Amino acid sequence: GEDVEQSLFLSVREGDSSVINCTYTDSSSTYLYWYKQEPGAGLQLLTYIFSNMDMKQDQRLTVLLNKKDKHLSLRIADTQTGDSAIYFCAEGQGNTPLVFGKGTRLSVIA
Amino acid sequence: GAVVSQHPSRVICKSGTSVKIECRSLDFQATTMFWYRQFPKQSLMLMATSNEGSKATYEQGVEKDKFLINHASLTLSTLTVTSAHPEDSSFYICSAEAPPDTGELFFGEGSRLTVL
């Protein structure tokens, strides 16, 4: 079945850039998503990218997609302590349920 | 953006009782909603797809008699955990697509169930 992999932990200093990486196996994925989960809270959609795009930028967030390698990354510029959370990569085909990675726990050191 | 609301956000119940969790789409109609379960320090696992006006589609390994799903209207899906046991303690999250066929899924806040 489909699989989404991401590293479990990332630690960065406040003000630096964070890059969270994700790989997926389903070549028919249409949409690739990044969700943020703060402690005790539900999921918040950060951004998503269509599979025919290479890059999407939204304020401090930059998503890069390498469809050939099935690699997705999320870059957070000027990382702040409020960015500390778990970030989930997910893939889907539109009106189908998503397949999630296990999440990357981002710790921001002041 | 679209809002999906879950209720209750936290519930504690005794073993053997049943618990109902509601998932509402507040400003849009959702013919399909998804129910996920999240174990501590693990990713979300899809439990079932809830279809308005028809039976839910359950993922392999999910007991449909244990986790009853009812999608009676275009804005409400309910998940009932019947005869709950401590191993059912988990974080349950629903999601719905808005607008339809956009691929943009919005998630509820989640409901944390603790079974004593």
Side-chain angles (χ1 to χ4, degrees):
Chain A
E2 300 89 351
D3 193 22
V4 176
E5 297 282 343
Q6 46 184 135
S7 53
L8 296 181
F9 300 99
L10 177 66
S11 182
V12 299
R13 293 197 177 277
E14 190 175 20
D16 288 351
S17 292
S18 309
V19 179
I20 304 171
N21 294 301
C22 168
T23 58
Y24 59 98
T25 59
D26 188 358
S27 57
S28 63
S29 298
T30 308
Y31 301 88
L32 295 129
Y33 305 80
W34 284 104
Y35 285 89
K36 177 182 180 182
Q37 186 180 35
E38 298 186 19
L43 290 172
Q44 173 194 356
L45 176 64
L46 284 180
T47 186
Y48 65 93
I49 189 169
F50 295 102
S51 60
N52 61 357
M53 297 169 64
D54 298 324
M55 186 184 84
K56 181 178 180 181
Q57 186 155 3
D58 183 2
Q59 298 182 337
R60 290 191 298 125
L61 305 178
T62 303
V63 178
L64 294 178
L65 174 62
N66 182 327
K67 195 173 180 181
K68 175 176 172 290
D69 295 338
K70 300 190 187 68
H71 181 267
L72 183 73
S73 68
L74 173 69
R75 179 177 179 270
I76 306 173
D78 187 24
T79 312
Q80 302 298 309
T81 54
D83 295 323
S84 294
I86 301 176
Y87 290 82
F88 289 93
C89 169
E91 60 91 11
Q93 296 177 24
N95 60 352
T96 59
L98 301 183
V99 178
F100 285 84
K102 286 186 165 53
T104 299
R105 184 178 295 274
L106 175 64
S107 298
V108 182
I109 304 165
Chain B
V3 178
V4 175
S5 178
Q6 278 184 243
H7 177 81
S9 57
R10 293 178 186 273
V11 57
I12 301 172
C13 69
K14 291 183 179 180
S15 186
T17 60
S18 294
V19 174
K20 180 185 284 188
I21 301 169
E22 294 185 346
C23 177
R24 292 182 185 274
S25 55
L26 296 186
D27 52 2
F28 65 99
Q29 294 183 331
T31 55
T32 303
M33 291 184 176
F34 304 105
W35 285 95
Y36 294 86
R37 181 176 181 178
Q38 185 181 32
F39 292 98
K41 298 184 180 180
Q42 293 192 29
S43 185
L44 291 158
M45 299 298 295
L46 178 67
M47 297 176 65
T49 302
S50 171
N51 303 298
E52 189 269 334
S54 64
K55 292 183 179 180
T57 304
Y58 289 82
E59 295 299 300
Q60 192 173 5
V62 178
E63 299 174 62
K64 61 181 180 181
D65 295 328
K66 171 80 171 170
F67 299 99
L68 300 178
I69 291 172
N70 187 328
H71 195 153
S73 77
L74 287 169
T75 59
L76 174 64
S77 176
T78 60
L79 168 68
T80 302
V81 182
T82 62
S83 187
H85 290 283
E87 58 265 30
D88 298 324
S89 298
S90 192
F91 196 47
Y92 294 87
I93 302 177
C94 72
S95 74
E97 186 187 28
D101 298 328
T102 60
E104 190 161 345
L105 284 179
F106 290 88
F107 285 79
E109 309 93 325
S111 300
R112 184 169 297 283
L113 170 63
T114 303
V115 184
L116 302 177

